[in-house]
Amino acid sequence: MRRGKLRIHLGSAPGVGKTYAMLAEAHRRVERGTDCVVGFVEHHHRPRTEVMLHGLDVVARRELAHRGSVFTEMDVDAVLARRPAVALVDELAHTNVPGSRNTKRWQDVEELLRAGIDVVTTLNIQHLESLGDVVESITGVRQRETVPDEVVRRADQIELVDMDPQALRRRMAHGNIYRPDKVDAALSNHFRPGNLTALRELALLWVADHVDEYLRQYRGEHDIRSTWQARERIVVGLTGGPEGHTLIRRAARLAEKGAGGEVLAVYVSAGDGLSAASPKELAVQRTLVEGLGGTFHHVIGEDVPHALLEFARGVNATQIVLGVSRRRPWQYVLGRGVSATVAVESGPDIDVHLVTHDAVAKGRGLPVARGARLGRSRVTWGWLTGIAGPAALALLLHEAGPELGLANDMLLFLTFTVAAALLGGLLPALASAAFGSLLLNYFFTPPLYRLTVSDPRNIVAISIFVGVAVSVASVVDLAARRTHQAARLRAESEILSFLAGSVLRGESSLDALLERLRETFAMRSVALLERAGETEPWSTAAAVGAHPAGRPEDADVDLPVGEHLALALTGRVLPAEDRRVLGAFGAQAAVVLDRQRLVDEAGRARELAEGNRIRTALLAAVSHDLRTPLAGIKASVTSLRSADVEWSEDDRAALLAGVEEGADRLDALIGNLLDMSRLNTGAVVPLIRETDLDEVVPMALRGVPEDSVELDIPETLPMVAVDRGLLERVVANVVENAVKYSPGGEPVLVSASSLLGRVELRVVDRGPGVPEEAKERIFEPFQRHGDAPRGAGVGLGLAVARGFAEAIGGTLTTEDTPGGGLTMVLSLPTARPAAPVRPGPSR
């Protein structure tokens, strides 16, 4: 029996239209004459989805009792008995009620597929098992109902049902997804714009990877070697030379011209893993390509053009970017070079771009040879083994040893030559070979005890011995130096990779960098010195370790960094080959020092500019907004004191009310000015303690009319760790601002909910709203948005509210209210539960 086919409608969130799309597909199949039944579809009382069920054959559900309630699940036995061609099964990740045939609905679907029934189903991206941690970090909710990735990847068809996050929120606000009483909570939690955008991107990327995987599988099954230009993949061939930066940037520009372009930088090294390329240059180029959104790959291959083309065809690349050869003209006699070979052998399916650069025809250069740092003791043992060993062996064989023959004697002497090469390098091995050949000639080659050889065969044997000894010594010494070179290059590349990574991450701690330098070279102290001019004294910009040097001449190692900076290290003298890495540390230290000073200067400049702006705004506020209530108070008092007019009791009461209203307004304005001053001077010291939100919020609403605010504060909310007085001021300022802009008859909604260790208080108004570009500006001091009338305030209410919110560890942000208006979101930290008190020992 054939296995049924599985079709999945995959969406990023509830409400994007998966079930509707599945039912539309069912109607299309029924119209074509396909036997299609509804095994289980949940319409959630959505009218448009419910209408789509009309005209479809629905299999009755199975009723199950659980904990005193009756639930319905798909009747798998009934669907199997009905044996339709296609079955519709909604919500693949659903967990069945205990007592069902299977624990999970996807297991029910597997049974239908094994029975030869095609299944059309729905699934949200957050229910994939492998994405559980990612989804939790986005939404703050751990998904308990999941489907193994393997089940989804085995699907014959996966169709993405997509919708723009803002359109989905509008659909939610119109009541087309959840009931009206659940809309606000959903929009405040799972259906936030950021959540929906992240889940949408997750779904798009997962489907794209699935399509890419299927394409690779199809090409492999059909042995397709040519490139299919489904998306632009640009391979950049790097040599570790200076032209790499130009090639990477050119490839990035090519990728930007096509949608979904991808850049893959490739460095091909020899099969032994050793390379003449600069590890520093490769590390910098790797950082560059990754910073531009590409990837870096290291490929090993003896034939560079062949390895490069194999990599390009393996990743289905459409273009290869190479630099014009750095070979000198005479070097083309040895071959046409990598670039020309790749261009000739790439075929018609891969375009090859040859990019000119500054290093064209200037030669590739040779690697710098570096001897092995074996140490004095190893070299000494090498000389002792190479000289004393053959002497002792000659004495032993001549005096007490049996007659072994010239060939065996030569092998024994060769052993000491190899040992000398392993211990002391090439020179002790060459000396051992020469000394051993003399001993063989003198003691074991007729005529004995003379440095002459009578038998020509012995002359050949000794010559071969010398040749083999020198060859073996050279190979052993070369292998030792190569091993040391590889280890050193690896260590240097790790250090340079760390430095490049610190630049990319924007790390700016100079002390941490100098401490890393001290640990890398095992120094006692490291200091970064600077001076203003050539004749000025040195000063210490930063230092770590004990007793750092105050001048370069007092250090064991000093390295100039630019014109007026120097690194001074104490502890030991470093070899010359370490100065390259030391130079990289010095350059990074100079960059970090400049960055710190620029940040400090920018901060001071911002403070001065902010101070000037605040002073200017304060003068404007004092000149107008503060004088307005004062003018009203003075006019009312002058009228009351006038002896020319006989005021009635009503007139007198009205004038006194005007005085009181002006005094209240003046008190509020001065209070906000004082609060802003406290915030600017850092004089706000919050007293953090556990507080119930439903106790503070009502107290903050005393300054607004009773019917202007609607409260929705659940009693089950966790306690928050805040300063009660500051929180009350934050809520009061935010609510007063919302009431000011709300239209008449539309109360402001104040609701609260908890999420991921935070409590969110949302103040929702139905006013004109705020444009996106002005949402941050309204929190700046002395800013009033739109057509707020003069005299309505100095524009400090929201600035003070945000300052106090941050002082108590919270945040104050804005969101658009669905349907129009502005929502202020105050996020507060929940109080940590008290640690259990352990009983002490009894006495």
Side-chain angles (χ1 to χ4, degrees):
M1 179 183 298
R2 77 166 185 90
R3 178 181 173 85
K5 294 184 178 181
L6 177 62
R7 178 187 178 119
I8 298 177
H9 290 269
L10 181 68
S12 58
V16 296
K18 302 180 300 299
T19 304
Y20 190 94
M22 178 181 68
L23 293 173
E25 173 66 20
H27 280 286
R28 285 193 294 271
R29 298 196 182 198
V30 170
E31 290 173 0
R32 295 197 301 265
T34 305
D35 183 14
C36 185
V37 303
V38 176
F40 187 97
V41 168
E42 188 61 69
H43 53 72
H44 297 288
H45 302 289
R46 299 168 189 166
R48 296 185 179 182
T49 306
E50 194 170 0
V51 168
M52 293 295 290
L53 285 169
H54 298 168
L56 297 178
D57 187 4
V58 180
V59 176
R61 300 184 184 183
R62 180 185 178 190
E63 294 185 351
L64 295 168
H66 179 64
R67 294 183 178 178
S69 300
V70 177
F71 300 89
T72 61
E73 294 287 1
M74 181 175 66
D75 194 337
V76 180
D77 293 326
V79 177
L80 291 173
R82 173 70 170 73
R83 295 198 60 82
V86 179
L88 307 184
V89 182
D90 206 3
E91 299 178 355
L92 184 64
H94 173 74
T95 300
N96 293 329
V97 175
S100 300
R101 183 187 185 96
N102 296 299
T103 304
K104 296 285 188 177
R105 184 164 292 164
W106 64 264
Q107 295 171 329
D108 296 338
V109 169
E110 284 292 313
E111 282 201 45
L112 300 181
L113 294 173
R114 286 196 297 268
I117 301 173
D118 294 346
V119 176
V120 183
T121 186
T122 63
L123 179 70
N124 284 328
I125 190 66
Q126 63 260 34
H127 294 296
L128 279 172
E129 195 170 79
S130 64
L131 300 179
D133 294 338
V134 179
V135 172
E136 183 179 10
S137 67
I138 295 172
T139 64
V141 179
R142 183 71 180 186
Q143 294 295 330
R144 302 300 177 189
E145 296 185 330
T146 59
V147 179
D149 286 49
E150 182 61 26
V151 174
V152 182
R153 292 187 181 278
R154 284 202 306 264
D156 299 275
Q157 288 179 279
I158 297 179
E159 180 176 331
L160 180 65
V161 183
D162 189 29
M163 176 172 282
D164 180 77
Q166 295 301 331
L168 183 58
R169 283 173 58 85
R170 285 195 296 271
R171 177 182 286 185
M172 170 69 74
H174 294 157
N176 295 332
I177 301 177
Y178 291 159
R179 296 195 307 271
D181 59 332
K182 294 185 176 181
V183 169
D184 287 336
L187 291 173
S188 303
N189 294 286
H190 186 83
F191 283 79
R192 298 180 180 182
N195 288 2
L196 297 178
T197 302
L199 292 173
R200 185 190 190 196
E201 182 181 17
L202 201 61
L204 291 170
L205 290 174
W206 193 91
V207 173
D209 289 341
H210 178 72
V211 172
D212 206 25
E213 179 183 348
Y214 173 76
L215 183 59
R216 286 196 301 269
Q217 179 183 352
Y218 181 85
R219 285 165 51 84
E221 291 175 352
H222 292 78
D223 195 24
I224 298 173
R225 303 292 295 169
S226 61
T227 299
W228 286 3
Q229 299 185 3
R231 68 189 288 191
E232 290 291 340
R233 281 194 177 91
I234 303 173
V235 171
V236 185
L238 300 179
T239 64
E243 77 280 1
H245 301 271
T246 302
L247 303 183
I248 293 169
R249 291 190 176 95
R250 178 62 60 84
R253 290 196 295 271
L254 290 173
E256 289 174 356
K257 294 179 180 179
E262 184 179 357
V263 176
L264 300 92
V266 182
Y267 172 68
V268 181
S269 64
D272 58 2
L274 300 173
S275 168
S278 167
K280 176 183 177 181
E281 191 67 30
L282 283 177
V284 172
Q285 292 175 10
R286 178 173 191 157
T287 301
L288 175 61
V289 71
E290 290 177 350
L292 293 173
T295 56
F296 182 88
H297 304 268
H298 191 158
V299 177
I300 296 177
E302 297 296 339
D303 188 343
V304 175
H306 177 75
L308 189 60
L309 287 171
E310 282 296 312
F311 176 85
R313 293 191 177 103
V315 298
N316 198 26
T318 57
Q319 303 179 57
I320 297 178
V321 176
L322 299 172
V324 176
S325 179
R326 285 184 284 149
R327 287 184 169 195
R328 299 187 186 278
W330 62 267
Q331 291 179 310
Y332 283 97
V333 177
L334 305 176
R336 57 191 177 190
V338 173
S339 302
T341 303
V342 171
V344 170
E345 298 181 1
S346 61
D349 51 348
I350 300 179
D351 297 332
V352 179
H353 302 266
L354 296 183
V355 180
T356 58
H357 50 85
D358 295 335
V360 172
K362 293 184 178 179
R364 298 181 60 88
L366 296 175
V368 179
R370 296 182 299 170
R373 291 169 52 195
L374 299 176
R376 181 176 299 178
S377 60
R378 284 194 59 178
V379 173
T380 302
W381 277 105
W383 280 103
L384 287 175
T385 302
I387 301 301
L393 178 63
L395 182 62
L396 178 64
L397 294 177
H398 182 264
E399 297 295 335
E403 186 67 30
L404 300 178
L406 183 60
N408 292 327
D409 294 338
M410 288 182 177
L411 290 176
L412 291 175
F413 278 96
L414 185 61
T415 302
F416 283 98
T417 301
V418 173
L422 289 173
L423 290 172
L426 183 60
L427 290 179
L430 294 179
S432 177
F435 185 54
S437 63
L438 292 176
L439 292 177
L440 283 171
N441 184 11
Y442 188 81
F443 287 103
F444 304 103
T445 305
L448 302 178
Y449 314 120
R450 295 176 60 185
L451 295 177
T452 58
V453 182
S454 59
D455 191 344
R457 292 175 297 180
N458 292 337
I459 295 176
V460 174
I462 292 177
S463 300
I464 293 175
F465 166 77
V466 174
V468 170
V470 171
S471 299
V472 170
S474 300
V475 170
V476 171
D477 177 71
L478 178 63
R481 287 191 293 112
R482 289 287 190 178
T483 301
H484 172 76
Q485 181 185 25
R488 182 175 181 81
L489 287 175
R490 179 179 179 182
E492 287 186 5
S493 66
E494 290 177 354
I495 294 172
L496 295 172
S497 176
F498 160 77
L499 292 177
S502 65
V503 173
L504 189 63
R505 293 188 297 269
E507 296 177 357
S508 57
S509 175
L510 186 57
D511 289 342
L513 180 66
L514 295 183
E515 182 63 26
R516 177 63 182 260
L517 171 59
R518 189 185 69 82
E519 293 175 354
T520 299
F521 294 104
M523 305 301 288
R524 186 174 65 249
S525 68
V526 177
L528 181 62
L529 307 177
E530 64 174 342
R531 60 181 178 182
E534 294 292 336
T535 59
E536 298 296 326
W538 291 95
S539 61
T540 302
V544 295
H547 309 295
R551 300 180 304 169
E553 51 267 29
D554 297 336
D556 295 315
V557 180
D558 68 282
L559 178 74
V561 182
E563 296 182 358
H564 305 299
L565 289 175
L567 275 177
L569 294 81
T570 60
R572 64 188 180 92
V573 178
L574 294 179
E577 55 264 32
D578 284 338
R579 296 186 73 86
R580 182 173 67 175
V581 177
L582 187 60
F585 270 106
Q588 175 68 1
V591 169
V592 172
L593 180 62
D594 289 342
R595 184 188 300 147
Q596 285 183 350
R597 289 178 174 173
L598 288 174
V599 169
D600 293 341
E601 291 178 4
R604 288 193 293 270
R606 282 195 300 270
E607 290 176 0
L608 290 174
E610 181 68 14
N612 290 332
R613 189 182 67 81
I614 289 178
R615 279 192 292 271
T616 302
L618 180 59
L619 288 174
V622 170
S623 65
H624 188 283
D625 294 292
L626 293 179
R627 291 180 63 182
T628 299
L630 281 175
I633 293 173
K634 182 174 178 61
S636 297
V637 172
T638 301
S639 299
L640 289 171
R641 288 173 57 88
S642 174
D644 300 335
V645 180
E646 185 69 28
W647 301 102
S648 66
E649 288 299 323
D650 292 339
D651 292 337
R652 185 179 298 273
L655 290 173
L656 289 174
V659 171
E660 184 178 13
E661 181 183 355
D664 290 340
R665 183 184 301 174
L666 189 62
D667 180 68
L669 293 176
I670 294 176
N672 276 334
L673 286 172
L674 291 176
D675 288 337
M676 201 68 235
S677 175
R678 292 169 60 202
L679 287 170
N680 288 333
T681 57
V684 177
V685 181
L687 177 61
I688 304 298
R689 57 180 177 175
E690 294 183 358
T691 304
D692 279 325
L693 205 60
D694 56 356
E695 295 179 0
V696 178
V697 174
M699 298 177 62
L701 304 181
R702 289 175 296 185
V704 297
E706 293 184 2
D707 58 348
S708 63
V709 177
E710 179 182 339
L711 275 180
D712 182 15
I713 310 293
E715 296 181 358
T716 57
L717 283 177
M719 301 183 75
V720 293
V722 295
D723 183 303
R724 296 189 61 170
L726 296 181
L727 176 60
E728 184 178 337
R729 289 296 308 278
V730 173
V731 176
N733 283 7
V734 172
V735 172
E736 287 174 7
N737 184 78
V739 171
K740 183 193 307 181
Y741 287 97
S742 288
E746 288 284 348
V748 172
L749 173 62
V750 180
S751 63
S753 60
S754 62
L755 177 68
L756 279 180
R758 311 278 294 184
V759 170
E760 287 191 348
L761 184 73
R762 310 177 75 84
V763 180
V764 183
D765 69 60
R766 298 291 178 177
V770 176
E772 191 66 33
E773 64 274 9
K775 286 183 178 176
E776 282 300 312
R777 195 166 61 246
I778 62 176
F779 291 106
E780 297 178 4
F782 305 104
Q783 294 291 326
R784 291 181 296 187
H785 177 66
D787 56 354
R790 300 294 292 181
V794 293
L796 285 177
L798 293 182
V800 170
R802 172 171 276 190
F804 283 171
E806 293 175 351
I808 60 178
T811 60
L812 183 61
T813 56
T814 61
E815 291 181 1
D816 290 328
T817 302
L822 187 69
T823 299
M824 291 282 183
V825 182
L826 175 62
S827 178
L828 302 169
T830 58
R832 294 183 179 179
V837 179
R838 297 185 179 181
S842 58
R843 295 183 178 178

